[in-house]
Amino acid sequence: MITLEDVWLKYRIAFKEGARAVCEDFWALKGIDLNVGKGECFAVIGENGSGKTTLLRVISGMLMPDKGRVRLGGRVAGLMEIQAGFHPELTGRENIYNISALSGLSADETGACYADMVEFAAIGRFINAPVKTYSQGMLVRLAFAIAIHARTDILLVDDIFAVGDIYARRKCINKMFELKDKGLTIIFVSHDLDIARRLCKRGVLLREGRVIRAGSIDGLVSYYLETVGNKEGIALLQKGRLAIIFNNGKLIIRWNDSALTKGAAGHTVMSSSGRTYQSDTASWIIRQPAAADEIVAVGRWPDMPAELIWKIRCRGEKEFSWDVTLQARAQARIEDYTARLILTDEYEGWFTSQEEYVFPEAFLHENEWQSRRIDDHLNWLIGLKTGADSGEGLPTLVLDSSGADKQGACQIGNTGIEASARGIQFNYVNPEPEHAAGSYKFFSTGVKLFEERDRQDFECYMARARQAGRRRIISRGPLALCCGQRKIEIFLRDALLSSGAGLDTKFIWQGRTYSAAGGNWSVEKEGDNYLVVNIFWGPEAPFFQVWRMELRDESAIFWQADMEIRDGLEIRNRQVELFLSGRYDRWFTPSENGDFGAVEKKGNTVILSKYINDFSGVEQSCLMPAVTFANQDGRARVSYISRGQDKELNTKLHYLEIDPAADAALEAGRHAFFKGAIRIAPRQGQKGVDAVVNNNGAAAAINFNGVSLDFRHGRMRLFYEGVELTKGLGLYSAVLHEGNWHDSSQGLWKVEASDRERFVAVGRWPWLPVRQEWEVTLLDGRDIIWRITRDTRDGFDPDKEQVNLMLSDNYREWFVRERARGRFPEEFAEHTRGGFWERLWSAAAQSPVGAKGPGLPSVLLDCSESPVPGRLCIENTDALFKARVLQCESAQQKHFSGKIKIC
């Protein structure tokens, strides 16, 4: 029906330069060749000014070409300008008859279809009003009604759907599909690529008056979307059949002239100060690259004080790299960052270094992804492949981020219905800047392509990948330890026990807190049950850590962390953390246990224990096994158990080292940071705790005639015939300085002498110039003599000192011999940080104070013979401790001598 052969057309343009007019020839069409068959719907697409409208004018005969031939096989009608042919002063009815006559219809023929035209135009009484009063939508419907009822074989449509209301647009589009079904030949020009795709199968893409691409409409639209936009932000790398296009914040991959990406293609999104910044909304410029096979693009937003830098490097016909960094000024704080790659749905399956999956057949949701999260230890290598019967179609595509220094949480799956594609997404939360101020290295990956003919190379590559993946996993029986980027995951069979970072270390150097989860990790496997993790913090940090993880049996993980120091420096606040699932309900220590839900949450975290303990853990619950975390390195550490609820419910077992000032300064060389064990108990109950506990020289036990005392790290537990009478800290001392109480469990202790009935222990507070010596003697199984000698240095003078006996809440009554008595309150006050306990009685220490309860022996505290007797107090603790306290308090207590009696 339509043939164009080497068609050229020029306009003569008059340019005014000052007082002169200069005429120049402008070639609007350059060597156009095309053929359109009968009944075909043919699309012409391109940017503004590419020559689309000029081409239609040449086909319609409105313009004669300067060169070439145009041949038509039928009559032509056009919808190229809405106002064309209309007389503004005439009514709609009068214009129908005028324009129809120009199209070759007689008055009778026009009258025969007049009612159909009016019905389609749907303008009511306005058919008898001047068309100058019509809206754009009314004009579109009327012009379209006249054109489709004209005697024509070829219909030319020039983007008339860009104007008018949605009703007019929908009505005209539906009519176009009817005309197509009736066999009318249509040349369709539109910027609405979705309609072009639905209406046409073939077309041409024009650029600067030339046909730069012809063929299937899908290929044309894909290529057009990939290359349209600000030319300063577009660059192309071509190596053989591989083409990589950067287009203003989008990364497009083409292979053999077919697009592997789709829609939004490769792009990034970040959040800062509550705002979202997507890469394809930035203003981009292409910088001069360092090499010919490289693209360096810089993007900026007007309200974001930062530069987003993409570097894409082609490493061959089947491989390239994609690196994204951000250079931000100090006031820019990045909250999270996402890198996405949207790929064609011709890919039917995906794989990691260890596993293979098939994409769901259907796209179920409008916009929400139907995706699967990939564990960190697997997501460093992700690939997509076509089906077994695809033949020489799309290549297998692999994202390999093994060389990246950080790994984000990864998801892969089907996008929403609108995109109907496969999506891969990496998300990074609270990314840390690199050593250069404000410089973030967000994302880095290599992309490799494998054809069917490369099957042997692909198998070798995957074999190496599986070997590399196994270097990150050790297992013994049902217990497995998986090391990802900045994360340790603990599995028992298929159950994930850990949460968040899994294991972490923290410390302070030069006022800044460093965490292992914020460092750069390298992982090596030494044998089937042994992993070594090296952790670095950049060139400005003169240290690194070495972790050794070992599985000695099917239920225990042994963890040793060392610090390698290059220069002498001070390290403070050394601590280690084990993050566990939030599904655990109960916790325990050597002397306590409790329910996480029993203490009301304050803020974002509930802290449930804060004493020096050899171990702490969580009890079996919700089909999760009990877990014990033990300190084995001989250093005194305060243990905390907490439940955090900020973003992800998790349980944390935490050790904070009590580091004396003398130990903070470290010489160059290797230093022990932590040594401990994690015991995963059988599901039948808590067992094997003794295997991971080390008393490390700060413990003693004495017993006589049914009474026993257990001393550990500055606190003492009291038992009678196997039943514990104390709770929490048990027997302990405390010093008040500058408004803060420092109890003896926070000191560094050493047992210097011990036998069956007596022990001597010496303790020092790390940050106070205080030394205490305890001498504890058990007499005849009924009386406990407790003597304390205190020394201070540097003129230190504490505000107050206490000796405390913390008893079980099973004690219900208190008494002062022959003077007063009362009942302990059944309710405990709400725990508040820095709050005071409820004082029930207080007087000068003249008579013993005591407590009694059902089925328990009475316990008395007698301080009458102490050199400085002080005051005796009886208190009820808050809801955190839930205990009864007998207390002796004084302003100066260099020497204390007291007696605890079991009655």
Side-chain angles (χ1 to χ4, degrees):
M1 292 292 284
I2 304 171
T3 302
L4 277 70
E5 298 175 351
D6 195 26
V7 170
W8 294 69
L9 184 136
K10 68 181 176 182
Y11 294 118
R12 174 149 288 206
I13 309 296
F15 295 93
K16 288 187 177 181
E17 298 177 354
R20 283 191 320 138
V22 178
C23 292
E24 293 183 8
D25 290 338
F26 171 75
W27 289 96
L29 298 178
K30 305 170 185 175
I32 303 294
D33 293 304
L34 62 86
N35 290 280
V36 180
K38 185 177 181 179
E40 185 176 7
C41 222
F42 191 86
V44 180
I45 62 175
E47 298 178 62
N48 290 334
S50 61
K52 302 186 297 297
T53 299
T54 301
L55 178 61
L56 291 192
R57 287 174 176 170
V58 168
I59 295 173
S60 69
M62 295 171 64
L63 294 175
M64 297 298 293
D66 293 283
K67 292 169 56 179
R69 296 177 61 189
V70 177
R71 290 187 293 178
L72 303 176
R75 304 180 90 184
V76 177
L79 283 167
M80 291 180 283
E81 294 178 13
I82 296 174
Q83 305 284 355
F86 285 108
H87 193 294
E89 300 296 336
L90 298 181
T91 66
R93 174 185 175 85
E94 292 166 338
N95 273 289
I96 286 176
Y97 277 91
N98 281 355
I99 296 173
S100 296
L102 292 172
S103 300
L105 293 178
S106 67
D108 291 340
E109 289 173 323
T110 303
C113 57
Y114 174 79
D116 292 336
M117 293 185 193
V118 174
E119 182 183 357
F120 183 87
I123 55 178
R125 289 189 64 199
F126 279 88
I127 195 66
N128 295 313
V131 296
K132 67 181 181 181
T133 64
Y134 289 10
S135 69
Q136 292 287 327
M138 294 165 69
L139 277 175
V140 167
R141 295 198 299 273
L142 183 58
F144 201 85
I146 297 170
I148 62 178
H149 288 90
R151 187 181 299 151
T152 182
D153 304 300
I154 300 168
L155 180 63
L156 309 179
V157 182
D158 187 8
D159 209 18
I160 63 166
F161 304 143
V163 297
D165 55 60
I166 190 169
Y167 170 72
R169 170 187 169 88
R170 185 180 297 120
K171 192 166 188 176
C172 294
I173 289 172
N174 290 339
K175 195 64 178 179
M176 290 276 287
F177 280 96
E178 287 183 25
L179 297 174
K180 175 187 175 182
D181 292 340
K182 291 178 179 179
L184 191 68
T185 303
I186 302 172
I187 304 291
F188 183 66
V189 170
S190 178
H191 287 101
D192 190 328
L193 302 178
D194 183 54
I195 296 299
R197 266 183 162 148
R198 291 165 55 195
L199 196 63
C200 308
K201 291 185 177 179
R202 283 197 320 128
V204 291
L205 172 61
L206 297 185
R207 182 168 293 164
E208 297 178 353
R210 294 186 184 276
V211 175
I212 64 167
R213 196 165 290 255
S216 73
I217 187 64
D218 286 336
L220 291 179
V221 169
S222 176
Y223 187 83
Y224 172 72
L225 291 174
E226 293 162 2
T227 57
V228 68
N230 177 21
K231 299 302 183 286
E232 291 184 349
I234 298 177
L236 170 69
L237 287 177
Q238 184 92 37
K239 279 287 182 76
R241 292 170 292 168
L242 174 64
I244 305 157
I245 303 167
F246 175 84
N247 187 344
N248 293 284
K250 290 169 57 176
L251 174 70
I252 298 112
I253 310 169
R254 298 186 68 86
W255 175 259
N256 260 357
D257 207 29
S258 296
L260 305 187
T261 50
K262 190 176 181 182
H267 65 280
T268 61
V269 183
M270 67 179 177
S271 297
S272 177
S273 302
R275 292 187 175 184
T276 299
Y277 297 87
Q278 190 157 314
S279 58
D280 57 5
T281 64
S283 297
W284 290 87
I285 60 170
I286 304 299
R287 281 184 180 169
Q288 183 66 34
D293 57 358
E294 189 175 74
I295 296 172
V296 179
V298 180
R300 299 181 181 90
W301 293 269
D303 59 339
M304 176 67 178
E307 288 185 344
L308 190 63
I309 304 169
W310 284 25
K311 184 180 287 187
I312 303 159
R313 185 163 190 177
C314 196
R315 303 183 181 277
E317 185 181 353
K318 298 179 181 179
E319 183 178 357
F320 69 93
S321 61
W322 178 22
D323 298 288
V324 182
T325 59
L326 182 84
Q327 187 66 47
R329 291 198 287 274
Q331 62 265 39
R333 175 62 186 168
I334 309 303
E335 285 123 23
D336 62 69
Y337 179 83
T338 300
R340 297 191 186 109
L341 189 62
I342 311 300
L343 295 147
T344 175
D345 57 350
E346 292 181 59
Y347 284 108
E348 298 175 16
W350 61 275
F351 56 88
T352 68
S353 61
Q354 310 293 324
E355 303 168 353
E356 291 194 14
Y357 300 89
V358 176
F359 285 109
E361 292 185 6
F363 295 89
L364 300 181
H365 309 292
E366 188 68 28
N367 293 306
E368 183 182 347
W369 285 24
Q370 182 186 0
S371 61
R372 175 181 178 133
R373 183 179 175 125
I374 307 175
D375 294 330
D376 273 10
H377 66 279
L378 295 174
N379 72 26
W380 63 275
L381 185 144
I382 299 172
L384 289 89
K385 61 182 182 179
T386 55
D389 301 328
S390 61
E392 292 290 331
L394 300 184
T396 297
L397 182 145
V398 179
L399 273 67
D400 186 342
S401 57
S402 58
D405 60 0
K406 62 180 71 173
Q407 199 101 18
C410 180
Q411 289 181 299
I412 184 169
N414 282 352
T415 66
I417 296 172
E418 186 175 346
S420 295
R422 315 304 188 190
I424 305 174
Q425 173 174 295
F426 294 90
N427 181 250
Y428 307 82
V429 178
N430 295 322
E432 291 291 333
E434 305 296 324
H435 62 277
S439 177
Y440 295 81
K441 188 170 184 180
F442 279 141
F443 180 68
S444 179
T445 190
V447 180
K448 301 176 186 291
L449 304 176
F450 295 91
E451 296 181 272
E452 182 62 29
R453 70 185 72 174
D454 303 323
R455 177 170 293 276
Q456 187 173 356
D457 292 340
F458 176 71
E459 293 298 334
C460 291
Y461 173 78
M462 290 303 297
R464 291 193 299 270
R466 283 188 287 270
Q467 185 177 3
R470 283 194 293 270
R471 285 204 300 269
R472 300 166 180 261
I473 304 172
I474 56 175
S475 62
R476 195 149 188 173
L479 182 62
L481 195 68
C482 303
C483 186
Q485 292 287 344
R486 309 184 183 196
K487 176 185 284 191
I488 298 285
E489 293 180 314
I490 302 171
F491 290 88
L492 188 69
R493 296 181 177 87
D494 295 329
L496 176 62
L497 309 185
S498 59
S499 174
L503 292 172
D504 197 7
T505 60
K506 292 181 179 178
F507 56 91
I508 295 176
W509 177 62
Q510 293 186 345
R512 176 184 170 186
T513 299
Y514 288 79
S515 74
N520 301 321
W521 292 27
S522 68
V523 183
E524 292 295 332
K525 184 176 177 181
E526 297 183 2
D528 294 335
N529 306 312
Y530 203 68
L531 274 179
V532 177
V533 183
N534 293 283
I535 304 168
F536 304 87
W537 286 272
E540 83 286 357
F543 47 73
F544 64 92
Q545 280 189 352
V546 180
W547 292 7
R548 289 175 174 80
M549 317 293 299
E550 183 181 4
L551 301 182
R552 294 183 185 172
D553 56 42
E554 295 184 0
S555 62
I557 302 166
F558 289 83
W559 176 26
Q560 180 175 335
D562 294 327
M563 183 81 102
E564 189 75 32
I565 307 293
R566 290 197 291 270
D567 302 305
L569 46 84
E570 279 197 354
I571 300 291
R572 294 182 180 272
N573 286 70
R574 286 171 280 195
Q575 49 192 300
V576 295
E577 297 173 328
L578 168 61
F579 293 87
L580 295 170
S581 167
R583 296 167 62 188
Y584 285 103
D585 298 324
R586 295 186 58 81
W587 57 274
F588 63 84
T589 68
S591 58
E592 301 170 281
N593 62 77
D595 189 330
F596 283 112
V599 179
E600 184 177 347
K601 176 176 173 288
K602 292 293 180 183
N604 293 322
T605 304
V606 178
I607 297 177
L608 299 166
S609 177
K610 60 172 186 176
Y611 315 130
I612 292 182
N613 288 304
D614 296 317
F615 63 86
S616 60
V618 288
E619 296 180 4
Q620 178 177 333
S621 63
C622 299
L623 301 180
M624 304 286 281
V627 178
T628 303
F629 187 27
N631 170 28
Q632 291 189 310
D633 61 8
R635 295 174 180 265
R637 300 174 187 269
V638 177
S639 67
Y640 293 85
I641 303 171
S642 63
R643 172 65 63 90
Q645 294 179 323
D646 286 332
K647 294 184 178 179
E648 179 182 1
L649 183 67
N650 62 65
T651 304
K652 182 167 69 174
L653 308 181
H654 178 135
Y655 285 107
L656 172 64
E657 184 174 341
I658 303 176
D659 46 344
D663 291 346
L666 301 177
E667 300 295 329
R670 178 161 292 193
H671 300 266
F673 191 94
F674 177 75
K675 183 179 180 181
I678 301 160
R679 173 71 69 182
I680 314 299
R683 294 186 184 275
Q684 289 75 16
Q686 172 68 18
K687 295 181 181 179
V689 171
D690 295 339
V692 294
V693 174
N694 187 342
N695 290 332
N696 55 56
I702 57 176
N703 61 81
F704 186 78
N705 197 22
V707 175
S708 59
L709 291 169
D710 181 73
F711 172 83
R712 294 172 188 265
H713 298 294
R715 61 189 182 117
M716 191 159 48
R717 301 165 66 191
L718 173 60
F719 296 82
Y720 179 73
E721 294 185 351
V723 177
E724 183 174 5
L725 309 183
T726 51
K727 190 176 184 181
L729 289 170
L731 284 82
Y732 69 100
S733 64
V735 173
L736 179 65
H737 177 60
E738 295 182 349
N740 293 314
W741 283 103
H742 303 266
D743 64 67
S744 53
S745 74
Q746 297 169 348
L748 300 170
W749 288 86
K750 182 178 180 182
V751 176
E752 295 191 339
S754 177
D755 57 33
R756 184 178 178 182
E757 301 175 7
R758 173 183 175 274
F759 74 85
V760 177
V762 176
R764 295 176 175 82
W765 275 262
W767 304 109
L768 296 178
V770 177
R771 173 187 179 276
Q772 282 190 355
E773 180 178 295
W774 289 11
E775 180 182 0
V776 181
T777 306
L778 182 58
L779 301 177
D780 65 28
R782 296 289 182 177
D783 294 342
I784 302 162
I785 306 299
W786 184 14
R787 295 186 175 92
I788 298 177
T789 304
R790 188 259 289 164
D791 296 324
T792 60
R793 305 186 310 275
D794 306 325
F796 177 77
D797 188 15
D799 302 325
K800 285 184 182 180
E801 295 180 78
Q802 289 180 349
V803 174
N804 297 277
L805 172 57
M806 185 177 285
L807 294 169
S808 165
D809 57 338
N810 290 323
Y811 282 94
R812 305 297 171 81
E813 299 179 51
W814 58 268
F815 60 87
V816 183
R817 182 169 292 181
E818 299 175 355
R819 295 183 61 185
R821 66 179 57 248
R823 293 188 64 84
F824 286 107
E826 294 185 5
E827 300 294 328
F828 293 88
E830 181 180 293
H831 172 70
T832 57
R833 184 176 177 85
F836 294 95
W837 297 339
E838 183 179 2
R839 182 159 290 187
L840 307 176
W841 181 89
S842 176
Q846 296 177 353
S847 299
V849 294
K852 62 181 181 178
L856 296 172
S858 297
V859 178
L860 289 86
L861 174 63
D862 185 355
C863 303
S864 58
E865 297 181 7
S866 183
V868 185
R871 295 185 66 83
L872 283 174
C873 308
I874 302 173
E875 294 185 335
N876 210 45
T877 70
D878 57 27
L880 176 61
F881 294 90
K882 287 188 176 180
R884 323 301 190 183
V885 177
L886 308 180
Q887 180 185 98
C888 180
E889 182 179 278
S890 70
Q892 295 292 329
Q893 200 160 310
K894 292 184 179 180
H895 301 282
F896 167 80
S897 180
K899 182 184 296 185
I900 294 104
K901 296 181 68 68
I902 310 297
C903 302

